[in-house]
Amino acid sequence: MFPCTPVANYAFRNNGDLTFSNTSLSWGFSEPTLTNGISCSDLDNDGDLDLVVSNVNKISAVYENRVADKENHYLKIRLNGPAHNRFGLGCIVFVRTGNVTQKQELTLTRGYQSSVSPVLHFGLGKTQIIDELQVIWPDGMQQTLQKIKADQLISMSYGDAVKTDSAR
């Protein structure tokens, strides 16, 4: 009964210098919709995150990310937590390559009725070796790996973590 006005979604490209460019039209976000959710996952297993956009009274839209076609690299991390937290929810993961450090916390929700895969995904650009990967579990247990090759899925298990005094 209430009037509604479908609008096109927006997409922005990270320019790598703390600025962003509006790429909505060139990336295919031109159709006006009533979007109510979005999820990202590597649907085609090529190392980049694809999008699924759910819309009111329309079929969902799937957007293939083609950045992997440009010889960029990635690292995926699956966390195997203890019995009470199998996915490792709340874990903080740091990936360091040169002087760049990326940080993610594993949470699955992405807004109203939207969720993502329990696999953390780090884009590495042209970098082929990760200097350091650190996982901090919610109870403070930690584990660190060094000199890891890009373009793979790594499983990290809570049983391999150790208690340390230092945390980031």
Side-chain angles (χ1 to χ4, degrees):
M1 304 282 305
F2 288 100
C4 62
T5 304
V7 295
N9 290 316
Y10 285 89
F12 293 90
R13 176 185 171 88
N14 183 341
N15 297 321
D17 60 0
L18 301 178
T19 66
F20 295 83
S21 298
N22 184 345
T23 56
S24 304
L25 294 177
S26 64
W27 287 2
F29 292 92
S30 58
E31 182 181 351
T33 61
L34 296 173
T35 297
N36 66 346
I38 189 168
S39 181
C40 57
S41 185
D42 187 2
L43 299 174
D44 52 5
N45 252 352
D46 66 351
D48 56 31
L49 295 174
D50 306 299
L51 295 178
V52 178
V53 179
S54 58
N55 300 301
V56 175
N57 297 326
K58 282 185 138 182
I59 61 170
S60 295
V62 178
Y63 293 89
E64 180 186 8
N65 185 342
R66 295 192 180 132
V67 74
D69 299 343
K70 297 179 179 169
E71 298 180 19
N72 288 303
H73 301 281
Y74 67 92
L75 181 68
K76 296 182 199 178
I77 301 161
R78 179 182 322 251
L79 300 167
N80 300 310
H84 64 278
N85 186 6
R86 287 283 179 210
F87 291 130
L89 297 175
C91 282
I92 297 173
V93 178
F94 294 91
V95 169
R96 186 174 59 81
T97 55
N99 62 355
V100 175
T101 299
Q102 296 182 60
K103 173 186 174 184
Q104 289 190 52
E105 181 176 347
L106 182 61
T107 59
L108 301 182
T109 57
R110 295 294 188 269
Y112 179 70
Q113 294 185 343
S114 295
S115 183
V116 295
S117 164
V119 174
L120 292 173
H121 183 280
F122 290 88
L124 304 174
K126 302 301 179 199
T127 302
Q128 297 182 33
I129 300 290
I130 294 90
D131 296 324
E132 183 177 271
L133 163 65
Q134 181 183 33
V135 177
I136 302 174
W137 296 85
D139 65 359
M141 298 288 278
Q142 297 182 29
Q143 57 200 124
T144 302
L145 299 176
Q146 295 179 336
K147 302 300 177 196
I148 303 162
K149 290 184 181 178
D151 302 329
Q152 64 174 318
L153 169 66
I154 291 183
S155 291
M156 304 287 285
S157 295
Y158 178 80
D160 297 330
V162 296
K163 188 70 173 168
T164 64
D165 294 330
S166 64
R168 291 190 181 193

